[in-house]
Amino acid sequence: MSRIGPTSPIVLLIGLIILVAMAMAGLAGTEFALSRYLANAIGQLAAFAVLAISLDLIWGYLGILSLGHGLFFALGGYLMAMYLLKHSFEITATVPDFLQFMGWKDFPFYWAGFEFFPYALAVAVVVTLLVSGIFGYVSFRSRVGGVYFAIITQALVYVAMLLMFRNDTGFGGNNGMTGFTVLFGWPMGTSGMITALAVASLLVLAWVLLGCRWLVGSRFGALMLATRDDETRLRTMGYETLRLKLIVWCLSALIAMLAGMLYVPQVGIINPRVLSPELSLEIAVWVAIGGRGHLVGAVIGALLVNAVKFWLSSAAPEIWPFILSGLIVLVVLVFPNGLMDIAKFKFVRPMGAKRLAADLGESRP
């Protein structure tokens, strides 16, 4: 079992995240407060970092690449949007746009209870566990892995996207759901609410980082790594890898769902585009650039890639796909472990050279 030192990268990162959250909360309402745009961008980046951790947990530590994590992200987002619309309707009596578009006078029956956040959260957890549990059990029991599992997960998210494009599903169809006006009884869109959502996202990110670090550093985490490196040998020794993989897969799905619930109130809209295969591919790119199998790397990769994307989306949106493609090629050909390879190149090699010189000096007569 590995221990977390006070100067370990993950402790420093968690400390920095909490410090930023405290600073944003403390400066809120003053002349030094961050602008709405910057506070909102920080909140979205934190949600994306949580999403990257969810994939790194299953891909980096268990060796199972999922190209469908956008499905669980969208599940959290859609169910959060249902709560926001129903809650807003109960307070403002404003009929959502998608109901007016369909000519419906009332919400579908399965929206009942979504005006209460605990109910919406419980439904999100249950639905996510059902979808991930059934899919994971069938796949892992059949020992589907590698590229085949990745293709099946992408097909799954694509099917979900086609379903959500239908207008008669009661989830907004191709226009999606928007018009969120109230959250927990407080008006949305104000500087205070934007800052509160960003601070909440940062604190959840710190909590998820700490929890996942504890998990991968435990005996259970050692079994995860053993499954990733040689599952056949682990099964030969009598360990049940099916249950282990299913637990990690479902946990990863829950974390992605949580990221979706944090994301939607900050962007103010959810539509089937969040289920597009491109997003699920981008999540894998974040983790690959940061360095899979490193929680800190997954967070840094998500933050860097999306920060550049936010900037280029307004400055030069047409060149972003080429930059993303170039990053993928660079990672595959030069830095297969992402930014972790760069860190090793700069810091580990000189330390190794010093040790080698010391060893040679000690071996002299």
Side-chain angles (χ1 to χ4, degrees):
M1 182 183 298
S2 59
R3 296 182 179 180
I4 306 177
T7 59
S8 65
I10 196 164
V11 171
L12 297 177
L13 180 58
I14 292 174
L16 178 61
I17 292 170
I18 295 176
L19 183 63
V20 172
M22 293 175 61
M24 290 183 65
L27 295 176
T30 69
E31 58 179 340
F32 301 104
L34 297 180
S35 65
R36 293 187 180 186
Y37 174 80
L38 186 55
N40 182 259
I42 291 174
Q44 290 187 47
L45 290 175
F48 286 142
V50 174
L51 182 57
I53 292 173
S54 72
L55 181 61
D56 191 38
L57 193 65
I58 190 74
W59 185 26
Y61 291 92
L62 205 56
I64 300 174
L65 173 60
S66 167
L67 295 180
H69 255 49
L71 172 62
F72 307 116
F73 182 72
L75 274 175
Y78 266 98
L79 291 170
M80 186 66 182
M82 292 173 68
Y83 159 71
L84 291 171
L85 281 181
K86 195 71 182 293
H87 182 54
S88 299
F89 176 76
E90 293 292 327
I91 294 178
T92 65
T94 302
V95 179
D97 293 338
F98 82 92
L99 287 181
Q100 299 181 29
F101 176 77
M102 293 297 297
W104 296 348
K105 296 181 180 180
D106 200 0
F107 290 92
F109 70 93
Y110 42 85
W111 281 65
F114 272 92
E115 62 271 21
F116 305 108
F117 179 74
Y119 176 80
L121 180 61
V123 171
V125 171
V126 171
V127 172
T128 301
L129 287 177
L130 279 175
V131 174
S132 61
I134 294 173
F135 177 81
Y137 179 80
V138 173
S139 299
F140 299 145
R141 186 170 179 80
S142 303
R143 296 186 182 176
V144 177
V147 67
Y148 302 104
F149 185 85
I151 293 173
I152 293 175
T153 54
Q154 190 164 60
L156 183 66
V157 74
Y158 186 72
V159 170
M161 182 187 70
L162 295 179
L163 175 65
M164 299 307 288
F165 264 118
R166 294 179 58 90
N167 290 323
D168 57 357
T169 56
F171 299 109
N174 58 345
N175 293 320
M177 292 186 282
T178 186
F180 314 133
T181 57
V182 180
L183 175 62
F184 302 135
W186 295 86
M188 298 184 65
T190 63
S191 298
M193 178 58 72
I194 292 173
T195 300
L197 287 171
V199 170
S201 299
L202 288 169
L203 294 178
V204 170
L205 172 58
W207 175 72
V208 170
L209 258 178
L210 185 62
C212 289
R213 178 59 183 84
W214 171 83
L215 179 68
V216 300
S218 65
R219 183 175 180 272
F220 188 85
L223 291 175
M224 290 170 58
L225 296 177
T227 303
R228 179 194 66 183
D229 296 336
D230 197 340
E231 182 180 355
T232 303
R233 183 177 181 182
L234 198 63
R235 284 201 305 265
T236 303
M237 296 172 63
Y239 287 96
E240 178 55 67
T241 59
L242 170 62
R243 186 180 304 172
L244 182 144
K245 291 194 293 185
L246 190 59
I247 291 174
V248 179
W249 170 253
C250 291
L251 177 61
S252 174
L254 285 174
I255 296 174
M257 176 273 294
L258 183 60
M261 297 191 77
L262 292 170
Y263 176 74
V264 167
Q266 300 184 84
V267 295
I269 188 173
I270 179 84
N271 58 43
R273 287 185 58 84
V274 78
L275 283 162
S276 65
E278 286 82 359
L279 175 61
S280 294
L281 286 170
E282 275 196 33
I283 302 170
V285 171
W286 306 342
V287 177
I289 289 176
R292 66 187 183 97
H294 302 275
L295 296 173
V296 173
V299 172
I300 293 176
L303 296 180
L304 286 180
V305 174
N306 284 286
V308 174
K309 183 179 180 180
F310 284 171
W311 174 64
L312 287 178
S313 295
S314 57
E318 65 278 357
I319 68 172
W320 167 245
F322 299 99
I323 292 180
L324 184 62
S325 301
L327 289 174
I328 295 174
V329 173
L330 186 66
V331 167
V332 172
L333 298 181
V334 183
F335 302 112
N337 293 314
L339 296 176
M340 295 298 105
D341 277 342
I342 299 178
K344 291 179 181 178
F345 178 78
K346 288 184 176 181
F347 299 109
V348 176
R349 286 185 59 183
M351 290 176 63
K354 290 180 181 179
R355 289 196 209 97
L356 180 60
D359 292 342
L360 290 175
E362 291 176 358
S363 63
R364 292 174 183 174

